[in-house]
Amino acid sequence: QVQLVESGGGSVQAGESLRLSCEATGYRGGGFCLGWFRQAPGEERKGVAAIGTDGRTSYVDSVKGRFTISRDNAKSILYLQMNSLNVEDSAVYYCAAEENCVVTHMTDGGFVENWGQGTQVTVSS
């Protein structure tokens, strides 16, 4: 079973940046997508960004150009660099992992089995 632990959440003002980290252990070397989801109150949990084992990435339109997902395989860490944050970005952000995954799986609403505990991101105007 994959273990995922997020960190880096917090409160920032609109226009500022934040970087989330996810320490991932126990996942297979091949076939896993890693990604970030977010869920705001009253909203569905939605995939924001994902990265495949080949390094290909996928983003939802609302964050494209502002967020960057990356992975450090040597350190088993997943990152989400979040720039130009908006109030609408406020949510609980979850790290996720899914095997046998194409890069668009997570951003297209595909099923995800492995989740972290979540980290709160609050953006104030």
Side-chain angles (χ1 to χ4, degrees):
Q1 184 70 25
V2 178
Q3 305 294 321
L4 304 168
V5 180
E6 303 98 334
S7 62
S11 298
V12 298
Q13 292 185 320
E16 296 183 341
S17 299
L18 201 62
R19 188 175 76 162
L20 306 181
S21 300
C22 173
E23 185 175 352
T25 59
Y27 63 92
R28 299 176 183 176
F32 271 86
C33 292
L34 301 175
W36 292 94
F37 286 66
R38 68 186 184 188
Q39 185 171 21
E43 301 287 338
E44 298 178 338
R45 186 178 299 186
K46 298 185 295 184
V48 175
I51 185 167
T53 56
D54 58 0
R56 296 174 62 187
T57 58
S58 179
Y59 301 91
V60 294
D61 290 340
S62 60
V63 307
K64 193 173 183 179
R66 299 188 297 119
F67 291 9
T68 302
I69 188 171
S70 61
R71 60 194 295 176
D72 186 334
N73 292 326
K75 298 181 179 180
S76 299
I77 300 177
L78 176 71
Y79 298 101
L80 184 66
Q81 179 65 45
M82 310 163 67
N83 298 328
S84 301
L85 285 164
N86 303 317
V87 174
E88 292 76 17
D89 296 318
S90 297
V92 178
Y93 283 71
Y94 298 89
C95 180
E98 181 69 20
E99 65 177 338
N100 299 320
C101 177
V102 297
V103 68
T104 56
H105 178 86
M106 291 181 173
T107 51
D108 286 347
F111 173 79
V112 176
E113 183 177 2
N114 304 288
W115 300 93
Q117 295 288 333
T119 184
Q120 177 71 49
V121 173
T122 302
V123 184
S124 302
S125 61

